[in-house]
Amino acid sequence: MVRPFRPQLVYFEPKALDYPLGAELKEKFEKEDVEIRYTTSHNQVRNLPGDNDFQKYRVAKSTLVVGIRKTLKFDTPKPSAEYAIPLATGCMGHCHYCYLQTTMGSKPYIRTYVNVEEILEAATTYMEERAPEETRFEASCTSDVVGIDHLTHSLKRTIEFFGKSELGKLRFVTKFHHVDHLLDAEHNGKTRFRFSINADYVIKYFEPGTSPLTKRIEAAGKVARAGYPLGFIVAPIYLHEGWKEGYYHMFERLDKELPEDAKNDITFEFIQHRFTKSAKRVIQKNYPMTKLELDEEKRRNKWGKYGMVKYIYQKDEEEEIKEHLFDYMKQFFPNAKLEYFT
Ligand code: SF4
């Protein structure tokens, strides 16, 4: 049972305190006796406690930097959405294969932006540019934003903002079950609430610091009953002893939990486990005891963007994964939409 995130150390950037959310967070953490420091910029957050990189990495994962988002130019994470909406970066989870280890390398701390209204104004401009087309925004490109939202409610504000918008859609994905404060948000069906799910074995061994599957499934049930369109990312699909039963059981429990009407508007995304040489290096540095299988010899090469080789499963293994997962999905959720398998 993972408790809602509570930072051990909080940094404030000076301008953050000019915003109501910044001031509110300062008051909250002062009351809770959390250690507070001030910094001129998050780039200065270097002298974290710890004798070596391994310890510093762990401290960073429980450090929150409260700042403002200066650049209001959004990234374009196509094809899943037109824009990435920046609400936070970093995550307190310790998933061994987390993509943030390579993308956020030197800045593993969690950062939240308090100038939410300015970020939403920028979103309005992007929507106007594309009108009358719809514009989709993805909120989880650089963070698991649900995991910190009980502290900031910025995601809740953003859900309600898109709930009122005519042409905006929001999506995000989480491995956390702390969703209660989002259940009464006026989403008006404009937000697709996705959960990242996996077989119990994979969550247990490779996703420390995140919510167990049972809790994620329970949370998905609550979210469905609150009327949100739902989605599930099954990732990374990982071959292990008993994987067929593990994934079958996952679908079975999901089916039991979800109300019938939610099953008609549900999406699945399937991503098989992959790694690159540079990801392997950081994983082995940050999680030296990992049981994660990272043997290039056992895998097949796939050329990724920028000429980088990804190691994915052999063709016959990939076919077996597809056969079983597609079959389970169709069996339990015949009306679900499969977005992609990769
Ligand atoms: Fe990374 Fe997501 Fe795990 Fe957080 S929950 S550590 S963002 S994979």
Side-chain angles (χ1 to χ4, degrees):
M1 161 80 196
V2 166
R3 292 209 190 93
F5 172 63
R6 183 177 177 274
Q8 302 294 310
L9 177 60
V10 180
Y11 283 87
F12 282 90
E13 290 176 8
K15 286 215 176 93
L17 297 171
D18 298 343
Y19 291 81
L21 178 57
E24 200 185 294
L25 286 171
K26 179 170 176 271
E27 202 185 315
K28 175 183 169 59
F29 292 129
E30 274 172 354
K31 266 196 208 136
E32 291 179 8
D33 249 353
V34 176
E35 183 182 345
I36 293 179
R37 296 182 185 178
Y38 297 90
T39 177
T40 46
S41 154
H42 74 102
N43 290 315
Q44 304 301 319
V45 180
R46 288 205 185 99
N47 55 341
L48 287 171
D51 296 335
N52 49 44
D53 285 353
F54 182 82
Q55 286 179 4
K56 283 181 200 287
Y57 179 76
R58 273 143 189 85
V59 172
K61 285 257 178 191
S62 56
T63 298
L64 178 69
V65 180
V66 181
I68 58 163
R69 172 79 182 186
K70 290 198 193 83
T71 153
L72 292 172
K73 191 172 177 301
F74 294 1
D75 283 341
T76 48
K78 278 178 182 173
S80 71
E82 279 73 43
Y83 293 105
I85 185 159
L87 298 174
T89 63
C91 177
M92 56 286 174
H94 275 284
C95 305
H96 295 183
Y97 32 59
C98 178
Y99 61 108
L100 298 178
Q101 291 180 92
T102 35
T103 54
M104 309 281 307
S106 59
K107 297 169 185 158
Y109 45 79
I110 300 141
R111 190 162 177 238
T112 186
Y113 302 122
V114 292
N115 56 333
V116 183
E117 297 307 319
E118 289 164 15
I119 295 166
L120 298 179
E121 265 169 43
T124 303
T125 310
Y126 283 118
M127 285 189 279
E128 285 168 358
E129 278 169 12
R130 284 178 44 85
E133 293 285 315
E134 276 189 345
T135 306
R136 296 166 303 166
F137 294 86
E138 167 70 58
S140 44
C141 289
T142 51
S143 168
D144 189 315
V145 65
V146 174
I148 49 169
D149 204 58
H150 59 282
L151 298 172
T152 62
H153 285 210
S154 335
L155 180 63
K156 186 173 191 180
R157 168 77 188 101
T158 305
I159 290 171
E160 295 197 326
F161 167 82
F162 284 109
K164 287 199 189 79
S165 82
E166 205 187 320
L167 295 170
K169 287 267 175 76
L170 180 67
R171 49 198 276 129
F172 50 82
V173 61
T174 185
K175 288 188 169 76
F176 292 91
H177 72 280
H178 310 113
V179 300
D180 288 359
H181 73 288
L182 298 172
L183 300 178
D184 67 353
E186 289 178 23
H187 58 78
N188 291 325
K190 299 287 181 75
T191 290
R192 188 166 296 274
F193 205 129
R194 287 132 79 223
F195 287 87
S196 166
I197 54 173
N198 219 313
D200 283 310
Y201 173 96
V202 179
I203 295 179
K204 179 172 169 205
Y205 288 107
F206 306 123
E207 300 188 354
T210 66
S211 299
L213 180 61
T214 312
K215 291 279 168 198
R216 292 186 210 175
I217 290 179
E218 247 174 58
K222 290 185 192 173
V223 163
R225 287 186 287 275
Y228 283 94
L230 270 186
F232 295 94
I233 303 193
V234 185
I237 300 165
Y238 181 79
L239 295 181
H240 58 280
E241 212 190 313
W243 67 272
K244 289 176 197 155
E245 293 74 24
Y247 286 108
Y248 183 86
H249 194 41
M250 178 191 84
F251 278 101
E252 197 181 27
R253 282 144 80 191
L254 203 54
D255 174 48
K256 266 200 199 117
E257 176 66 37
L258 299 185
E260 286 309 312
D261 54 345
K263 294 178 190 167
N264 293 323
D265 181 10
I266 194 172
T267 60
F268 281 97
E269 295 156 75
F270 290 152
I271 307 175
Q272 63 169 304
H273 180 248
R274 75 258 332 272
F275 61 93
T276 59
K277 276 202 192 311
S278 58
K280 178 176 173 172
R281 267 194 300 277
V282 280
I283 293 170
Q284 289 178 333
K285 178 169 155 252
N286 292 331
Y287 303 102
M289 303 295 283
T290 188
K291 285 161 68 109
L292 198 62
E293 189 268 297
L294 296 166
D295 183 353
E296 292 90 339
E297 299 292 309
K298 292 192 177 152
R299 300 291 180 104
R300 172 164 69 105
N301 292 4
K302 181 180 174 183
W303 291 94
K305 263 196 245 166
Y306 319 114
M308 200 155 40
V309 176
K310 289 179 191 170
Y311 298 96
I312 60 173
Y313 284 117
Q314 298 292 349
K315 197 72 200 159
D316 55 336
E317 294 171 320
E318 183 182 287
E319 289 306 319
E320 225 195 332
I321 293 173
K322 274 188 185 168
E323 185 194 319
H324 286 88
L325 271 84
F326 289 4
D327 181 44
Y328 302 157
M329 186 187 75
K330 287 203 189 104
Q331 193 176 324
F332 289 109
F333 301 102
N335 297 327
K337 179 176 174 223
L338 174 65
E339 301 262 28
Y340 57 82
F341 172 98
T342 179

